[in-house]
Amino acid sequence: MSLRWRGVIEAYRSYLPVSAKTPVVTLLEGNTPLIPSRTLSERIGAPAEVFLKYEGMNPTGSFKDRGMTVAISKAVEAKSVAVLCASTGNTSASASAYACRAGVRSIVLIPSGAIALGKLSQALIHGARVAAVEANFDACLALVKSLAQLYPITVVNSINPHRIEGQKTCAFEICEVLGRAPDFHATPVGNAGNITAQWKGYQEYLKEGKIRKLPILLGFQAKGAAPLVRGALVKNPHTIATAIRIGNPASWQGAIHARDESHGLIHAVTDREIIEAYRLLASKDGVFAEPASAASVAGILKLAKSGYFKAYYAKKRRRITIVCILTGHGLKDPERAIKSIRVPKSLPASLSVVAKAVGLR
Ligand SMILES: *Cc1c(COP(=O)(O)O)cnc(C)c1O
């Protein structure tokens, strides 16, 4: 294989709905690092190796780019002149970047005041038409569906099946690096497109004989936005993890299938657990992921405490491999990081004052 990475469409062309006629719109997304975490491995309660799939390393800082390269390429192939999405932030960041590269217009509907500043700045700088709507994500997505019926524009939310196709490549990459599927694949769940896509990816690799065994999927929602855990819509979802503040997931059935067919689970984690995991990742592993991403880590730590992995180990008697998907970059939401730590106060430029302030005595 050439060392030159050419993006997920070229890397996995035969698995994707593209032909020689499809114009490939890419920012060379994918090929993100799978980082071993010693801190997490030690906290599993059984012999285990935990890896972090750092999707924040994608070009616009989230896994959404994997789906967007396919969705925008197909939109251009279909001669679409504009794309439209509702977004908790990262979809709009990704859609606007890929759309401007393709020379098509992008329109994004975001819940007013409820998306991280970094994500909003991305949509604006890439030239999207941004409507900040006084409603939550679910209502924005409903508006998007209605607009798409009235105007000739392509929806690039994960209800667009090309998004799911692109996002399944995350599972491919994990299998490539490990030489097999992990025992457990842990992921945050919001609109549930990603867990659906990842499961599809593993299933296709099994069918192609690239892996011999499927992973167990562990999905985690925020407690205040956990419709899949409760088995009922959540009218007013709330959580600090804005990327998963969703009460009516579009890929509801996909998530349930992934959970049940893999003999996995979808559980809820509290905002406090999310922030603890967020800080742990950043302060022990040196990995800065956004709060929603930390839900996967909070989830496995919670399961570890309950003896879940210990019980699995008792049956299997071999080291457990766990992959946590870190869906987006921590720099998306710097305000959250600063809020969760004490901000340094300014000091005079004096050697003794500065030395004392930074703990050098
Ligand atoms: C979109 C997003 C999610 C949720 O993914 P779904 O496919 O909607 O379940 C989680 N984390 C981040 C950072 C995201 O951008």
Side-chain angles (χ1 to χ4, degrees):
M1 192 177 76
S2 155
L3 281 178
R4 182 173 158 221
W5 180 255
R6 299 202 298 158
V8 301
I9 292 182
E10 295 305 348
Y12 299 108
R13 186 170 266 280
S14 66
Y15 292 87
L16 296 172
V18 293
S19 71
K21 275 187 277 172
T22 313
V24 175
V25 182
T26 180
L27 285 161
L28 309 188
E29 60 295 315
N31 197 23
T32 56
L34 191 67
I35 306 170
S37 167
R38 202 167 79 196
T39 313
L40 293 178
S41 302
E42 282 166 0
R43 294 182 187 214
I44 292 305
E49 186 158 31
V50 178
F51 293 90
L52 306 167
K53 180 68 168 162
Y54 195 18
E55 290 288 276
M57 293 300 282
N58 276 297
T60 78
S62 85
F63 73 84
K64 300 294 198 302
D65 295 343
R66 293 180 185 277
M68 208 54 77
T69 181
V70 181
I72 300 288
S73 297
K74 294 302 282 185
V76 174
E77 184 178 5
K79 308 253 184 296
S80 205
V81 293
V83 297
L84 169 69
C85 67
S87 181
T88 59
N90 282 329
T91 299
S92 60
S94 185
S96 50
Y98 282 78
C100 78
R101 205 169 164 82
V104 303
R105 282 198 298 144
S106 59
I107 304 167
V108 306
L109 270 55
I110 55 170
S112 177
I115 80 168
L117 207 56
K119 304 174 187 181
L120 178 61
S121 67
Q122 287 177 288
L124 295 173
I125 201 78
H126 292 307
R129 278 295 186 87
V130 179
V133 184
E134 286 165 1
N136 63 27
F137 170 83
D138 303 292
C140 287
L141 185 57
L143 279 173
V144 158
K145 289 179 184 168
S146 304
L147 285 170
Q149 304 217 305
L150 295 172
Y151 301 93
I153 36 185
T154 305
V155 176
V156 293
N157 280 103
S158 57
I159 49 174
N160 179 329
H162 301 315
R163 281 275 311 278
I164 304 288
E165 292 301 312
Q167 283 169 210
K168 73 189 177 191
T169 59
C170 178
F172 296 166
E173 287 177 14
I174 292 167
C175 295
E176 238 96 66
V177 172
L178 297 178
R180 61 184 190 89
D183 299 304
F184 294 93
H185 173 111
T187 189
V189 177
N191 215 19
N194 212 26
I195 191 169
T196 303
Q198 291 158 354
W199 182 236
K200 190 165 194 284
Y202 286 116
Q203 285 179 306
E204 288 182 11
Y205 256 27
L206 183 75
K207 208 164 128 227
E208 291 295 316
K210 296 251 187 183
I211 55 174
R212 278 188 298 189
K213 191 176 110 2
L214 292 164
I216 294 170
L217 262 63
L218 309 173
F220 298 101
Q221 301 201 285
K223 184 138 184 276
L228 294 165
V229 180
R230 294 165 48 166
L233 302 190
V234 175
K235 263 237 167 72
N236 296 305
H238 58 90
T239 166
I240 52 108
T242 50
I244 53 173
R245 187 189 284 163
I246 292 173
N248 182 14
S251 297
W252 188 300
Q253 281 312 319
I256 298 301
H257 283 149
R259 179 193 71 189
D260 294 346
E261 289 169 10
S262 75
H263 308 288
L265 53 82
I266 299 177
H267 280 185
V269 287
T270 64
D271 279 3
R272 178 189 289 248
E273 290 164 335
I274 288 173
I275 288 297
E276 267 172 27
Y278 168 74
R279 293 185 58 173
L280 183 76
L281 276 173
S283 64
K284 299 286 187 202
D285 277 326
V287 175
F288 193 20
E290 68 172 279
S293 305
S296 61
V297 172
I300 66 157
L301 290 174
K302 194 168 186 167
L303 289 179
K305 273 193 202 134
S306 76
Y308 179 84
F309 298 111
K310 197 180 264 175
Y312 183 84
Y313 179 78
K315 271 195 291 181
K316 304 281 176 181
R317 291 274 143 211
R318 54 169 178 74
R319 199 160 65 144
I320 307 170
T321 306
I322 305 171
V323 172
C324 288
I325 307 297
L326 300 184
T327 44
H329 204 290
L331 287 171
K332 294 269 190 179
D333 194 358
E335 281 174 308
R336 175 57 57 190
I338 288 169
K339 252 185 232 163
S340 72
I341 322 277
R342 205 157 36 96
V343 181
K345 63 173 205 264
S346 47
L347 303 169
S350 141
L351 184 63
S352 60
V353 174
V354 171
K356 187 157 170 244
V358 296
L360 299 170
R361 286 159 211 236

